[in-house]
């Protein structure tokens, strides 16, 4: 490990920066809860009581207490695996003692190197699910169901990873000097393929989806879809209540595979006109072409990032500095993969900065979708009522420090959305 190498310095700086940023933001949010978390905003006077805010603060505090050791342990594990040469040892051992085949080498490396993180995350996931979520009345998960979900959570990503690595190693071996452009094209195509097959094959592995029954709600939603000229495969109800009392709604897929999905918990918590307003918001993303716009931004960014990775991979400095000097021209395919892997580690700690930029545009899209829903539904009253109910049911914070939402919220905080919708209070029960 060469600690004077610029890539090693950047890795250490990004790891420390990420840990400091996370802890600083979470502390600011915690301090804000202590000062303002139990104060009922004037917009919600008579709708939400102080006792509910105390419960929300307790829920957020419980998650914060768990976040502190979790983030510190993850940072420490990252430093140990990189600075201790564990990643380099795993790949070297695999190539010298298991297989020389590029695909199997990188697949085994990806599989084995992910194990320490999975092990560290297990106790935190268990505590979060069976202590925090159950204590605050959200989780109805059984231990057997949790274990089965974790197994599925391992198998599904493993299959996707195998596909990605197979394509990646093939491209590295065939296109020695132009792999970055072909890899970008493959990444985009596979991403679109996954979004196509997810609602049909992957999501049903975890939840049961049934057609929305006949009635007022279905009539309202079908009229809304027709009004917005949105063609969907169908309206489905997801049995989210088998695991949790959290609620949501979304549409997924593209082309003829588009599906509108409502959590069964959402149907229990909201009135039909409020669910219609929530769906109108989701349709606002479609009508405002937010998904297409994001793709138009993402595609050139992916190409640019992979081109930069290609240029950096031509230098041996990074590989040698992190202990991968054993890779030579005969391992060119593995060398390209390792360069990408190391770049992700080196600059990964600065992901929060890119996330803040992405959150800005995401929140902008949310405001536009809210405005669309208010227009299509006649006013913003039903959407405002729905947002307030969902916020209370999910026990989300009412107001957070601005800097915290910049880095952590891809949706605007509740009060910002209500003010943008022109909400004056006095709703929810009407």
């Amino acid at each position: 490990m060469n600690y004077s190498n610029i890539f090693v310095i950047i890795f250490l700086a990004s790891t420390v920066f990420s840990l400091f940023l996370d802890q600083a933001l979470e502390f600011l949010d915690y301090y804000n809860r202590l000062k303002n978390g139990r104060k009922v905003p004037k917009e919600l006077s008579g709708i939400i009581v102080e006792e509910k805010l105390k419960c929300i603060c307790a829920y957020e505090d419980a998650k914060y207490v768990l976040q502190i050791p979790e983030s510190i342990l993850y940072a420490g594990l990252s430093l140990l695996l990189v600075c201790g040469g564990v990643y380099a040892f795993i790949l070297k051992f695999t190539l010298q003692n298991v297989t020389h085949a590029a695909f199997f080498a990188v697949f085994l490396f990806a599989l084995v190197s992910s194990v320490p993180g999975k092990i560290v995350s297990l106790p935190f996931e268990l505590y979060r699910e069976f202590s925090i979520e159950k204590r605050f009345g959200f989780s109805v998960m059984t231990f057997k169901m949790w274990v089965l979900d974790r197994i599925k959570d391992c198998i599904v990503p493993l299959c996707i990873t195998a596909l990605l690595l197979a394509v990646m190693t093939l491209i590295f071996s065939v296109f020695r000097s132009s792999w970055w452009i072909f890899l970008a094209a493959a990444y985009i195509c596979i991403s679109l393929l996954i979004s196509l097959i997810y609602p049909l094959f992957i999501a049903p592995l975890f939840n049961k989806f049934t057609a929305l029954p006949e009635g007022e709600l279905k009539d309202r939603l079908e009229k809304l879809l027709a009004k917005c000229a949105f063609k969907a495969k169908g309206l489905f109800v997801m049995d989210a209540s088998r695991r949790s009392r959290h609620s949501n709604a979304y549409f997924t897929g593209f082309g003829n595979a588009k599906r509108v999905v409502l959590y069964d918990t959402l149907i229990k918590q909201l009135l039909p006109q409020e669910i219609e307003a929530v769906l109108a918001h989701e349709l606002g993303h479609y009508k405002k072409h937010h998904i297409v716009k994001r793709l138009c931004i993402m595609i050139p960014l992916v190409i640019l990032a992979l081109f930069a990775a290609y240029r950096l991979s031509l230098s041996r400095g990074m590989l040698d500095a992190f202990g991968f000097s054993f890779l030579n021209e005969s391992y060119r395919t593995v060398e390209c993969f390792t360069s990408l892997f190391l770049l992700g580690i080196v600059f990964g700690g600065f992901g929060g900065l890119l996330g803040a930029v992405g959150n800005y545009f995401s929140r902008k899209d949310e405001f536009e979708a809210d405005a669309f829903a208010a227009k299509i539904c006649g006013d913003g009253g039903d959407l405002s009522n729905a947002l307030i109910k969902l916020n209370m049911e999910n026990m989300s914070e009412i107001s957070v420090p601005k800097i915290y939402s910049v880095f952590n919220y891809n949706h605007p905080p509740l009060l910002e959305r209500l003010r943008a919708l022109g909400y004056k209070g006095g709703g929810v029960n009407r």
Side-chain angles (χ1 to χ4, degrees):
M1 190 78 173
N2 181 2
Y3 289 97
S4 63
N5 182 275
I6 184 62
F7 291 107
V8 174
I9 294 171
I10 293 173
F11 161 71
L12 295 173
S14 70
T15 303
V16 173
F17 170 79
S18 178
L19 178 62
F20 172 79
L21 180 64
D22 287 345
Q23 294 298 323
L25 290 172
E26 292 299 333
F27 177 77
L28 285 174
D29 190 37
Y30 169 71
Y31 184 70
N32 181 69
R33 284 197 299 274
L34 288 179
K35 288 185 62 180
N36 307 306
R38 292 161 180 80
K39 297 177 182 177
V40 179
K42 64 179 185 295
E43 293 94 336
L44 301 177
S45 179
I47 297 174
I48 187 169
V49 296
E50 187 177 336
E51 195 61 35
K52 182 66 175 180
L53 292 181
K54 288 181 180 178
C55 191
I56 291 174
C57 288
Y59 178 52
E60 292 296 330
D61 287 347
K63 292 191 293 182
Y64 173 53
V65 169
L66 185 65
Q67 183 270 344
I68 296 173
E70 186 176 18
S71 59
I72 291 173
L73 272 176
Y74 272 117
L77 178 65
S78 179
L79 290 170
L80 175 65
L81 293 174
V82 176
C83 298
V86 177
Y87 287 134
F89 171 79
I90 293 171
L91 185 58
K92 186 176 183 179
F93 181 87
T94 301
L95 287 171
Q96 294 181 352
N97 299 279
V98 181
T99 179
H100 293 291
F103 166 72
F104 291 107
V106 298
F107 178 75
L108 287 173
F109 171 77
L111 179 63
V112 175
S113 62
S114 68
V115 170
K118 293 291 186 183
I119 293 173
V120 168
S121 70
L122 275 177
F124 293 103
E125 289 179 11
L126 280 166
Y127 185 82
R128 186 178 292 109
E129 186 68 43
F130 293 100
S131 179
I132 296 176
E133 294 296 308
K134 282 192 178 291
R135 191 192 327 159
F136 289 92
F138 288 119
S139 177
V140 291
M141 182 91 72
T142 64
F143 184 71
K144 178 182 177 181
M145 189 183 296
W146 184 87
V147 171
L148 289 174
D149 279 356
R150 296 291 77 74
I151 292 173
K152 294 173 188 175
D153 281 338
C154 290
I155 293 174
V156 173
L158 196 64
C159 294
I160 295 173
T161 298
L163 172 63
L164 288 171
L165 292 178
V167 173
M168 185 182 293
T169 51
L170 177 63
I171 289 173
F172 286 152
S173 62
V174 175
F175 306 101
R176 291 299 184 97
S177 60
S178 56
W179 57 258
W180 54 276
I181 187 66
F182 289 97
L183 187 57
Y187 173 82
I188 294 162
C189 290
I190 291 175
S191 297
L192 293 175
L193 175 64
I194 291 172
S195 68
L196 179 64
I197 67 174
Y198 176 83
L200 301 176
F201 303 106
I202 299 177
L205 295 174
F206 296 88
N207 291 97
K208 183 180 179 181
F209 295 82
T210 56
L212 182 66
E214 299 293 331
E216 179 190 358
L217 179 58
K218 185 176 181 180
D219 291 342
R220 278 181 172 272
L221 300 188
E222 286 182 340
K223 288 177 182 177
L224 176 65
L225 292 175
K227 189 176 181 179
C228 296
F230 183 88
K231 295 182 180 179
K233 191 76 172 178
L235 296 163
F236 294 89
V237 179
M238 189 182 91
D239 63 339
S241 59
R242 289 181 60 237
R243 292 174 172 81
S244 172
R245 291 189 173 90
H246 287 295
S247 52
N248 198 4
Y250 65 92
F251 73 81
T252 184
F254 64 93
N256 293 328
K258 291 196 296 292
R259 288 183 167 198
V260 175
V261 178
L262 306 174
Y263 284 26
D264 57 355
T265 48
L266 184 85
I267 295 174
K268 293 174 185 176
Q269 293 165 4
L270 302 184
L271 298 173
Q273 63 267 30
E274 293 165 349
I275 297 174
E276 181 184 6
V278 170
L279 181 57
H281 165 90
E282 297 300 329
L283 291 173
H285 290 302
Y286 169 76
K287 297 299 289 186
K288 295 293 182 179
H289 309 294
H290 292 158
I291 298 172
V292 174
K293 289 176 183 176
R294 288 183 191 182
L295 282 174
C296 291
I297 294 173
M298 183 195 76
I299 290 172
L301 285 178
V302 168
I303 294 173
L304 182 62
L306 287 174
F307 175 71
Y310 162 70
R311 296 298 300 174
L312 289 170
S313 72
L314 297 177
S315 169
R316 294 283 314 179
M318 181 172 61
L319 290 168
D320 293 343
F322 285 98
F324 291 88
S325 55
F326 59 88
L327 293 175
N328 51 45
E329 186 59 31
S330 62
Y331 294 126
R332 176 59 184 166
T333 299
V334 179
E335 186 181 71
C336 291
F337 164 81
T338 307
S339 295
L340 278 180
F341 173 77
L342 288 176
L343 284 170
I345 289 175
V346 169
F347 295 101
F350 296 123
L353 298 177
L354 289 176
V357 177
N359 287 342
Y360 169 79
F361 289 104
S362 178
R363 288 193 299 272
K364 183 174 177 291
D365 290 346
E366 294 302 322
F367 281 127
E368 287 188 1
D370 281 352
F372 175 87
K375 181 179 179 181
I376 206 75
C377 294
D379 62 48
D382 288 326
L383 181 58
S384 296
N385 287 338
L387 292 174
I388 294 169
K389 286 183 179 180
L390 291 175
N391 197 94
M392 289 191 290
E393 292 291 344
N394 290 313
M395 290 210 293
S396 302
E397 290 185 272
I398 300 295
S399 180
V400 297
K402 185 67 178 178
I403 188 67
Y404 185 84
S405 67
V406 165
F407 283 94
N408 290 287
Y409 277 33
N410 55 17
H411 283 56
L414 176 64
L415 290 182
E416 291 185 22
R417 296 180 74 174
L418 293 179
R419 288 163 185 162
L421 285 166
Y423 182 77
K424 302 298 183 183
V428 174
N429 293 320
R430 69 185 180 88

